[in-house]
Amino acid sequence: MSSPRLRSPKRAVPTSSVLTVYKPPAVDVETQRKMSHDSNGDSGVENDHVTEANGGVTKNIGDVIKENNDVITRDVSPALMPVVVGLTSQRKCVPYWYLYDTRGSELYEEVVTNSKTYTLWRKEYSLLKSHSDDIVSKTTTPVTLMELGSGASSKTRLVIEAMLRRHGTLTFVPVDVSKEHIEEVGQQLEQDYDGLTVEPFGGLYMEGVRHLSTRKGPKMLLFLGSSFSNICIHEQVDMMKEIRAQLSAKDRFVLGLDMDTDRESLLKAYGQQWVTFQRDNPIGRLNKDFDGDMDSAKFELVTDFIEKPADGDCPSYVMGYWRSLAAQRMTFRKLGLNLDFQSGEKFFFTDGPNWSCKWNLHQMRRLAEKSGFALEDYWTNKAEDYGMVCFAPVP
Ligand SMILES: C[S@@+](CC[C@H](N)C(=O)[O-])C[C@H]1O[C@@H](n2cnc3c(N)ncnc32)[C@H](O)[C@@H]1O
């Protein structure tokens, strides 16, 4: 629809620099269609203009260059290339993991443990307090305990304690993109528990799962905090299938999943208390990583609760994005990138339409069935608004 959005600010080209070529993962046509529909499904200005200059290729060496689907730039570490891709995409976004640098992880923990309206952490904590012994009994012999997105591992302590009660010793492999954070947490855990060895793995979820599959012996894999609910709804089953492919019949996969579908309480839970973690910290990180001048005060948080039929396979979900409060231009000097937002334009911090999915038992069972697992056990609280499931691989 409108004119080019990405132009090159005048600046010195770095003399010694590393060229990075990034091929974004192939997304199948059906997922692209769904994402585009989901992203544009409500009111507000749509993200349907193209962020390219000069017919798709910028002229200055050192700037972000988009050729077909590939993104080429200089002096950006490969790990940050998905962030550059997100910024320069039609659906402007940062990957969800980008929210979790060390400061982000601390901010997250502050909100979830102190908030009066976001009660998910407390509900999962009390479920684990009541059922950890039962949960760890799902694997009979000593196992390697692995946790995806372990963060502060504050609730995991209850599972670690139950494992140590049962087996005396334990190897715990926390997996998290926030590497320094989990290394610090790991040292503290080893100090706190005799018999515990912690082997932190800094990386993305599936890198961690592949790492675990190289280890001998049975494993218990944890995915707590309803973190699975942050995975793009169109990619959840594929991720589960990939995890299933790395597990053996004796392994177990335990997930904590939020079941609260009360619209009023959800809109309070996913409100302004998240702005520092969700908006100010990542925008500060963007400015630092790419020498930028993006102003977080010019974006507001927008949320909604999208209800899905209770007897369908797709869970309901809270959606969220930042809305640009004005037409604005920001410059990321390290990328040679001027980025324009229209007033009302959306900037996503989630990988899919969902910020956080809200499940029922039927949907959890269907998730297991569709990805090669059986729902072996299920624990819930009195209000039945939080659940933990144990998935067993179907041979
Ligand atoms: C919602 S928090 C949950 C933290 C903790 N498990 C809990 O229950 O409180 C998600 C955690 O996963 C990590 N994370 C997010 N996306 C990730 C990804 N794609 N790969 C690896 N870690 C990720 C974050 O750093 C963070 O520690």
Side-chain angles (χ1 to χ4, degrees):
M1 113 179 170
S2 64
S3 56
R5 295 280 153 180
L6 186 155
R7 294 198 190 83
S8 310
K10 287 198 171 54
R11 66 184 176 91
V13 174
T15 45
S16 71
S17 55
V18 180
L19 190 71
T20 312
V21 181
Y22 181 82
K23 293 176 188 297
V27 177
D28 65 72
V29 175
E30 179 59 7
T31 302
Q32 272 182 34
R33 190 192 63 73
K34 285 177 185 160
M35 293 281 290
S36 136
H37 172 77
D38 292 328
S39 302
N40 296 332
D42 62 349
S43 59
V45 175
E46 314 301 359
N47 294 357
D48 57 356
H49 52 253
V50 179
T51 53
E52 290 176 8
N54 309 321
V57 182
T58 54
K59 278 196 174 134
N60 291 356
I61 284 179
D63 294 347
V64 175
I65 299 172
K66 296 185 92 174
E67 275 174 350
N68 302 321
N69 205 26
D70 300 350
V71 179
I72 305 168
T73 191
R74 282 180 193 273
D75 291 327
V76 173
S77 75
L80 284 180
M81 284 305 280
V83 183
V84 180
V85 171
L87 283 177
T88 57
S89 293
Q90 188 174 322
R91 175 190 185 271
K92 291 195 185 88
C93 61
V94 287
Y96 181 71
W97 58 257
Y98 191 69
L99 273 48
Y100 292 92
D101 56 357
T102 300
R103 180 73 190 127
S105 301
E106 289 164 359
L107 287 168
Y108 172 83
E109 191 70 9
E110 263 170 51
V111 174
V112 297
T113 52
N114 293 321
S115 169
K116 290 199 165 51
T117 53
Y118 184 85
T119 52
L120 192 156
W121 188 96
R122 283 201 296 281
K123 287 179 202 164
E124 189 171 67
Y125 184 87
S126 55
L127 265 184
L128 285 168
K129 196 134 183 77
S130 307
H131 301 292
S132 278
D133 285 312
D134 198 12
I135 289 171
V136 305
S137 74
K138 295 293 152 193
T139 50
T140 46
T141 49
V143 291
T144 301
L145 179 69
M146 179 187 221
E147 181 178 11
L148 297 179
S150 54
S153 282
S154 41
K155 288 169 266 112
T156 319
R157 283 173 172 265
L158 298 167
V159 183
I160 291 173
E161 287 162 17
M163 285 267 182
L164 288 172
R165 272 196 298 278
R166 197 174 172 85
H167 302 298
T169 59
L170 175 69
T171 299
F172 173 47
V173 183
V175 173
D176 202 293
V177 70
S178 195
K179 185 169 183 282
E180 289 79 20
H181 182 60
I182 59 161
E183 282 170 355
E184 268 176 43
V185 170
Q187 282 173 10
Q188 189 60 51
L189 290 170
E190 279 189 344
Q191 277 176 29
D192 292 348
Y193 297 105
D194 286 340
L196 178 69
T197 305
V198 183
E199 297 177 6
F201 181 90
L204 296 174
Y205 293 138
M206 289 316 298
E207 293 167 346
V209 173
R210 284 190 281 271
H211 165 73
L212 186 74
S213 70
T214 62
R215 300 181 71 107
K216 288 205 170 68
K219 295 132 200 157
M220 178 171 276
L221 185 57
L222 295 177
F223 210 173
L224 302 181
S226 210
S227 303
F228 179 73
S229 304
N230 305 129
I231 306 291
C232 169
I233 44 175
H234 307 306
E235 290 166 12
Q236 288 175 344
V237 172
D238 283 347
M239 180 177 179
M240 291 289 292
K241 283 182 182 168
E242 257 195 85
I243 292 174
R244 165 65 192 91
Q246 304 291 342
L247 297 181
S248 311
K250 284 189 174 164
D251 300 339
R252 290 294 179 270
F253 185 17
V254 174
L255 296 104
L257 295 169
D258 195 15
M259 300 173 75
D260 188 354
T261 52
D262 181 69
R263 184 184 178 81
E264 204 181 319
S265 73
L266 287 173
L267 292 179
K268 282 185 192 146
Y270 292 83
Q272 288 304 308
Q273 61 191 332
W274 289 100
V275 162
T276 310
F277 164 71
Q278 211 84 260
R279 185 194 68 179
D280 301 350
N281 190 60
I283 287 181
R285 190 177 179 190
L286 285 174
N287 288 337
K288 195 158 156 248
D289 283 340
F290 304 121
D291 193 10
D293 59 5
M294 191 172 195
D295 182 356
S296 62
K298 290 189 180 159
F299 291 88
E300 68 177 359
L301 180 67
V302 178
T303 56
D304 198 1
F305 180 51
I306 311 298
E307 284 186 73
K308 297 285 181 186
D311 58 356
D313 287 0
C314 181
S316 300
Y317 58 86
V318 174
M319 61 89 100
Y321 59 85
W322 305 307
R323 178 162 55 200
S324 175
L325 290 167
Q328 49 177 323
R329 163 169 289 191
M330 57 218 62
T331 302
F332 294 100
R333 282 175 290 275
K334 193 168 172 190
L335 301 173
L337 171 66
N338 282 332
L339 199 59
D340 289 333
F341 276 84
Q342 293 179 329
S343 178
E345 188 174 342
K346 298 165 189 171
F347 188 27
F348 290 89
F349 54 84
T350 60
D351 298 331
N354 50 307
W355 176 359
S356 181
C357 293
K358 306 299 164 190
W359 303 79
N360 61 35
L361 184 56
H362 161 76
Q363 290 156 353
M364 295 178 198
R365 183 170 281 117
R366 290 292 297 139
L367 176 68
E369 286 166 0
K370 286 200 274 187
S371 46
F373 288 100
L375 193 151
E376 186 180 72
D377 216 333
Y378 164 67
W379 302 268
T380 188
N381 54 358
K382 214 166 164 197
E384 296 189 24
D385 59 3
Y386 199 83
M388 304 213 58
V389 283
C390 178
F391 285 179
V394 175

